[in-house]
């Protein structure tokens, strides 16, 4: 006989599945601009809140649903901590082993009502952990990573290479420095600002053959910074020019601009930041 699933069970399963999706989406940090520390703490708060709810509820299957959501929250929390903090293999082993001990211990404590919480105590405890979560979010909103981009006054092209299409590519040159500082209380994800640019003041009025990159590269920079930590990177640029637009060793001024729709009478390297509001002035 084929197994059957009643409509009520199916709806409960779908609810738990959507809870998993919601928590995983929350952990992706796409919607809420929270620090790594507070995101992990809120996932742990969710685990505790639903665990307490499951212990205090004496009506099946609502208690099972609460335990399921609690377990899902813990799994997402553990995966998030491992992916963002990247502990060494010993640390991962300790996390997994302690998690196994935690759930085995909880299962044993729940046998024959060894672990019980009355509803009033449960409500007060859940309210307490909710307040903790709100306080963490409030503390997290104070400050953010500080990105400072400083550019040199001039770009000095050196050796050139003809590209065969009427343009000349100058070797990559250092043009500035990126500094990142974390003055906040919590560990935060590092997202270096994206830089674009163009060259104004040449025959075609604007040349888009400008590329910027960081050294060390963006993927080699730390992906997170703890409290009072910082890091720096050099900014390099490569520029493609029409032939005879300028000569090697002839300085080209560097200028920040909101867009490449700026005209100049002389060659000028324009730098456009995708999110200028989050970059501090030098």
């Amino acid at each position: 006989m084929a197994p059957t699933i009643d409509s009520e069970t199916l709806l409960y399963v779908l609810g738990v599945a959507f809870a998993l999706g919601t928590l995983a989406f929350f952990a992706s940090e796409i919607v809420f601009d929270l620090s790594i520390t507070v995101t992990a703490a809120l996932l742990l708060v969710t685990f505790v809140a639903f665990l307490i709810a499951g212990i205090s509820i004496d009506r099946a299957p609502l208690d099972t649903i609460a335990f399921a959501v609690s377990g899902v929250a813990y799994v997402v929390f553990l995966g998030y901590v491992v992916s963002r903090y990247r502990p060494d293999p010993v640390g991962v082993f300790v996390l997994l082993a302690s998690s196994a001990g935690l759930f085995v211990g909880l299962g044993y404590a729940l046998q024959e009502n060894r672990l019980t919480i009355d509803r009033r105590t449960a409500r007060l405890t859940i309210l307490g952990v909710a307040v903790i979560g709100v306080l963490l979010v409030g503390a997290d909103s104070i400050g953010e990573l500080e990105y400072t981009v400083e550019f040199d006054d001039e770009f000095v092209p050196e050796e050139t290479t003809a590209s065969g299409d009427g343009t000349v590519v100058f070797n990559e040159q250092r043009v500035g420095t990126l500094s990142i500082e974390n003055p906040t209380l919590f560990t935060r994800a590092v997202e270096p600002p994206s830089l674009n640019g163009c060259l104004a003041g040449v025959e075609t009025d604007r040349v888009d053959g400008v590329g910027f990159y960081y050294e060390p590269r963006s993927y080699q920079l730390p992906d997170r910074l703890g409290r009072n930590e910082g890091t720096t990177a050099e900014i390099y640029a490569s520029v493609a020019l029409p032939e005879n637009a300028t000569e090697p060793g002839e300085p080209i001024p560097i200028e920040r601009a909101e867009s490449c729709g700026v005209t100049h009478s002389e060659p000028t390297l324009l730098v456009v930041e995708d999110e200028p509001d989050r970059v501090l002035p030098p």
Side-chain angles (χ1 to χ4, degrees):
M1 179 181 295
T4 59
I5 301 177
D6 59 80
S7 301
E8 187 178 271
T9 301
L10 177 61
L11 293 175
Y12 285 140
V13 171
L14 287 173
V16 174
F18 276 109
L20 171 61
T22 301
L23 292 169
F25 190 68
F26 170 76
S28 69
E29 302 174 359
I30 296 176
V31 179
F32 304 100
D33 187 21
L34 297 173
S35 67
I36 295 175
T37 305
V38 171
T39 299
L42 291 179
L43 289 170
L44 192 58
V45 163
T46 303
F47 158 71
V48 172
F50 277 94
L51 176 64
I52 293 172
I55 295 173
S56 63
I57 295 173
D58 56 3
R59 180 181 176 184
L62 294 182
D63 56 347
T64 302
I65 299 301
F67 285 135
V69 175
S70 176
V72 164
Y74 188 87
V75 169
V76 175
F77 158 76
L78 191 63
Y80 181 79
V81 168
V82 171
S83 65
R84 296 316 305 259
Y85 286 97
R86 298 180 182 176
D88 57 29
V90 174
V92 175
F93 173 81
V94 171
L95 284 172
L96 293 175
S98 58
S99 298
L102 171 65
F103 282 98
V104 170
L106 286 173
Y108 177 79
L110 288 172
Q111 281 185 341
E112 300 178 1
N113 295 322
R114 291 189 180 94
L115 179 61
T116 58
I117 300 177
D118 63 79
R119 291 190 178 183
R120 181 176 181 277
T121 303
R123 283 194 292 267
L124 291 175
T125 305
I126 292 174
L127 177 61
V129 296
V131 169
I132 291 173
V134 171
L135 292 176
L136 285 171
V137 172
D140 196 38
S141 65
I142 302 174
E144 56 186 11
L145 287 187
E146 296 179 350
Y147 297 89
T148 304
V149 175
E150 298 184 52
F151 286 101
D152 300 336
D153 295 331
E154 298 175 326
F155 169 82
V156 183
E158 295 180 355
E159 298 179 4
T160 62
T161 304
S163 61
D165 60 356
T167 62
V168 174
V169 179
F170 289 98
N171 290 345
E172 288 87 350
Q173 300 291 314
R174 179 197 175 280
V175 295
T177 304
L178 166 69
S179 300
I180 309 174
E181 301 289 339
N182 181 14
T184 68
L185 298 173
F186 308 114
T187 299
R188 295 183 177 274
V190 172
E191 298 177 0
S194 179
L195 302 176
N196 296 297
C198 50
L199 196 76
V202 293
E203 293 179 0
T204 57
D205 188 53
R206 189 177 75 252
V207 174
D208 296 323
V210 177
F212 293 95
Y213 68 89
Y214 295 109
E215 187 60 50
R217 301 302 179 104
S218 297
Y219 60 85
Q220 295 174 318
L221 286 170
D223 62 353
R224 66 187 184 280
L225 289 176
R227 179 182 179 183
N228 295 326
E229 289 185 343
T231 188
T232 60
E234 302 296 324
I235 303 172
Y236 283 77
S238 62
V239 181
L241 292 172
E243 290 185 84
N244 302 321
T246 187
E247 297 295 333
E250 182 179 339
I252 298 176
I254 300 175
E255 179 181 301
R256 290 187 175 186
E258 294 183 356
S259 70
C260 282
V262 180
T263 58
H264 284 271
S265 58
E266 298 294 334
T268 304
L269 179 61
L270 301 180
V271 183
V272 180
E273 297 158 2
D274 285 353
E275 299 178 81
D277 292 341
R278 73 184 183 100
V279 178
L280 297 177

